[in-house]
């Protein structure tokens, strides 16, 4: 698991027990979330935009009020915002869907996208170009991390390793730093996430049918079944 610990644990907890019982998780976060020493200026802001649960977690420490409506990408981010006390609406599964939905409903308020330093989709720029007033503020950084010793160990061993990836940046970091000898069964949230992984000597690279945790869970389940069938064993990492 290459996501930050909380996200990795949520993903595993969302898998059926019959699936999670078939592997031994190895945690090796490849990015570290580091809040920036900033205070978002909310004067004139009528609604917030969140595209990750990480942004919600950092923003909840920076902002005391929960009066603003939040437009979110994906169910995990939406639930995180609701859990933090905001009135949150899921406005799509991807940044592109959020842009399309907000352009359609055209909120008559100033939007503020709270995001990480490394973000994709150019949400504020695209919304503003479409006539929906939106500013942006980076409130955390995503520092790259090396593989953990535990992850390097299983990658050097004989057992099949199944690794799900949720961002192109994490996938690229893995592809550039891993030196795998174990049979690799890779799953990716999207074709953009899969692209950096194509340089690796994998057994299989599967792309989720939709860019969300539910679809990724199904993809991991199918990859695990194929790996166990091909490798002829019931243990995997």
């Amino acid at each position: 698991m290459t996501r930050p610990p909380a996200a990795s644990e949520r993903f595993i907890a969302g898998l059926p027990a019959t699936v999670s019982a078939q592997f031994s998780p190895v945690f090796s976060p490849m990015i570290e979330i580091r809040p920036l020493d900033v205070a978002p200026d909310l004067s004139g802001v009528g609604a917030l935009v969140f595209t990750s649960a990480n942004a919600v977690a950092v923003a909840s420490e920076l902002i005391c009020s929960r009066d603003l409506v939040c437009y979110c990408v994906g169910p995990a981010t939406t639930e995180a915002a609701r859990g933090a006390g905001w009135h949150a609406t899921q406005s799509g599964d991807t940044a592109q869907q959020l842009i399309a939905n907000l352009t359609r409903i055209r909120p008559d308020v100033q939007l503020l996208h709270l995001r990480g330093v490394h973000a994709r989709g150019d949400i504020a720029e695209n919304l503003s170009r479409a006539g929906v007033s939106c500013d942006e503020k980076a409130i955390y950084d995503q520092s790259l991390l090396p593989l953990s010793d535990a992850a390097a160990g299983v990658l050097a061993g004989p057992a099949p390793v199944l690794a799900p990836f949720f961002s192109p940046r994490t996938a690229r970091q893995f592809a550039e730093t891993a030196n795998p000898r174990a049979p690799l069964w890779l799953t990716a949230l999207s074709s953009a996430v899969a692209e950096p992984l194509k340089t690796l000597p994998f057994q299989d690279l599967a792309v989720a049918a939709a860019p969300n945790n539910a679809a990724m869970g199904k993809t991991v389940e199918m990859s695990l079944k194929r790996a166990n069938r091909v490798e002829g064993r019931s243990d995997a990492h």
Side-chain angles (χ1 to χ4, degrees):
M1 297 302 302
T2 57
R3 301 176 96 185
S8 291
E9 289 167 2
R10 281 196 305 269
F11 181 74
I12 292 175
L15 295 173
T18 52
V19 175
S20 57
Q22 297 180 55
F23 62 80
S24 302
V26 176
F27 297 95
S28 180
M30 304 212 75
I31 61 169
E32 181 181 16
I33 303 302
R34 295 182 176 176
L36 300 176
D37 186 16
V38 297
D41 182 4
L42 300 180
S43 57
V45 173
L48 300 175
V49 175
F50 288 121
T51 50
S52 78
N54 293 322
V56 172
V58 175
S60 66
E61 297 294 324
L62 296 173
I63 302 171
C64 295
S65 172
R66 295 296 186 267
D67 294 338
L68 296 177
V69 170
C70 300
Y71 298 103
C72 302
V73 169
T77 302
T78 307
E79 287 306 312
R82 289 172 181 164
W86 274 294
H87 177 69
T89 300
Q90 182 176 341
S91 297
D93 280 331
T94 66
Q96 290 72 27
Q97 289 177 6
L98 178 136
I99 291 167
N101 286 332
L102 292 182
T103 299
R104 176 177 53 82
I105 66 175
R106 308 189 75 80
D108 190 24
V109 294
Q110 174 68 42
L111 305 179
L112 178 62
H113 179 207
L114 296 177
R115 60 173 181 81
V117 170
H118 303 277
R120 302 175 69 243
D122 297 323
I123 287 172
E125 180 181 346
N126 281 297
L127 283 173
S128 296
R129 188 182 296 123
V132 179
S133 183
C134 185
D135 288 331
E136 62 182 356
K137 183 69 174 179
I139 59 174
Y140 66 95
D141 197 0
Q142 307 104 306
S143 303
L144 292 172
L145 297 174
L147 284 166
S148 68
D149 290 343
V154 297
L155 287 168
V161 173
L162 193 154
F165 293 91
F166 295 79
S167 77
R169 193 161 177 259
T170 299
R172 188 175 303 107
Q173 172 74 345
F174 181 85
E176 291 176 354
T177 60
N179 185 25
R181 287 193 288 252
L184 281 185
W185 296 77
L186 307 176
T187 62
L189 186 69
S190 67
S191 56
V193 176
E195 192 61 34
L197 301 171
K198 293 179 180 179
T199 61
L200 293 167
F202 53 80
Q203 300 294 309
D204 186 52
L205 173 56
V207 178
N212 56 52
N213 276 356
M216 273 292 279
K218 291 290 186 183
T219 306
V220 165
E221 183 176 358
M222 295 306 298
S223 291
L224 185 62
K225 287 180 180 178
R226 289 197 297 270
N228 287 335
R229 183 170 63 249
V230 171
E231 304 290 339
R233 60 198 303 165
S234 60
D235 61 316
H237 298 288

